[in-house]
Amino acid sequence: MRRQHFEALSPVCPRCLRDNAHRAGLKVELVASEKGDDIIEGVVRCSEADCRLEYPIIDGIPILHPDLRVFLSENSTQILARQDLSAPVASLLGDALGPGSSFDITRQHLSTYAWDHYAEFDPEERVEALQPGGATRVLEAGMALVDSSAEGPILDLGCATGRNCFDLAGHGDDIVLGVDMSFAMLQVARQAQTEGRIRYPRRRCGIVYDMREFNVAANRAAHVDFWLCDSLALPFADPAFARIVALNLIDCVYSPMGLLAVLNRLLLRGGDALLATPFDWAPNATPVEAWIGGHSQRGPDDGASESRLLAAIERLRADDAGFTLQTVAQLDSFPWHARLHDRSTVLYSEHVQALRKLD
């Protein structure tokens, strides 16, 4: 965790903010290991006397989750997992634990996202029709829709293994914060940031993985930091960001409308937000009642998510004078390939939408 990001963004306790609307500041309580302004291991504590909840910093990643005990209990395997296992031993564990295990699910996610974000730098990657970099291309297409002159901190929600954070840092001198709920993916992002190198399991088929390790380009790495946070319970009380990017996220959170409220609350006046989604609704991530479209095809818009998203934003503007996000541009369809394994690829057709926080 970089001190410059922590001091510039002045985070507050996410539990106090969520439960009591208290703006209880967080402070660094303990530093067990650090390198320069980067705290590798330590503790951040809430300043509220009735709370004083402690949040750990592990491998340079602060875990700022409002339900910390529950989150750590449900994700302890991922957080405590070793990163130095040899490829043969990791393969043996994968075979023994089998498909569907938390170990296997984590490897699948790492394979898909790390491949897309960084495989262009892998000297062992075969030249195929399917090219990595889908997230980068979607970001570039979206950035062409927004006013790139917005100045101030940048937030990347659902940053996964971090590539877009480095690309965003290349657009100016502002600090960039990447936020995700996957500790394993944030570890890869941190490797790219601090070492200019990543190591990840590339899925070949089934539970067969090849461990890949190679150097990567991480633009302006000193301007980037990665925190583990819930996108619906972020540790910020006031508008703090000139730009917020949320790619493939609105259909993966419990409350899509709540995410729109978060964007409106945290954007500075004149700031912009960039959304991209294939509207790939799934009930295990978002209850059907919270879907924006994707159901009730008997209605006037035949259940179309695109028109309902636009209508939802206008409805929020009409019902809440403090909600001033306005759609300024959109792309109806932009391709994004997600590689699952050697013989399986998902092709998403992304709806890309740019919004502005009006003065």
Side-chain angles (χ1 to χ4, degrees), residues 276-336:
T277 175
F279 297 111
D280 190 21
W281 304 107
N284 63 327
T286 313
V288 175
E289 296 79 8
W291 291 8
I292 300 176
H295 60 80
S296 301
Q297 63 268 34
R298 297 164 304 284
D301 54 7
D302 298 323
S305 291
E306 300 82 0
S307 58
R308 291 204 182 179
L309 177 57
L310 289 169
I313 293 170
E314 291 306 309
R315 186 168 65 251
L316 287 170
R317 284 168 52 82
D319 294 344
D320 182 0
F323 189 95
T324 62
L325 279 183
Q326 183 178 55
T327 299
V328 294
Q330 59 183 329
L331 293 174
D332 181 61
S333 179
F334 193 90
W336 183 344

Side-chain angles (χ1 to χ4, degrees), residues 12-13 15-17 20-27 45-54:
V12 299
C13 175
R15 175 179 288 181
C16 288
L17 185 63
N20 307 305
H22 287 177
R23 303 183 177 197
L26 294 176
K27 70 174 187 177
R45 180 173 62 78
C46 173
S47 60
E48 174 64 46
D50 292 333
C51 177
R52 297 180 65 84
L53 182 62
E54 294 177 319

Side-chain angles (χ1 to χ4, degrees), residues 138-139 142-143 146 244-247 272-276 352-355:
V138 172
L139 177 64
M143 290 293 288
V146 302
I244 301 179
V245 174
L247 307 186
D272 52 60
L274 179 61
L275 301 176
V352 184
Q353 189 163 338
L355 305 102

Side-chain angles (χ1 to χ4, degrees), residues 90-108:
S91 174
L92 188 155
L93 288 177
D95 289 347
L97 294 171
S101 65
S102 60
F103 182 78
D104 181 56
I105 292 171
T106 297
R107 288 201 298 173
Q108 288 187 41

Side-chain angles (χ1 to χ4, degrees), residues 15 29 80 92 149 207 239 251 259 281 313 326 344:
R15 175 179 288 181
E29 177 75 4
L80 299 176
L92 188 155
S149 65
I207 51 177
D251 58 357
L259 182 63
W281 304 107
I313 293 170
Q326 183 178 55
S344 178

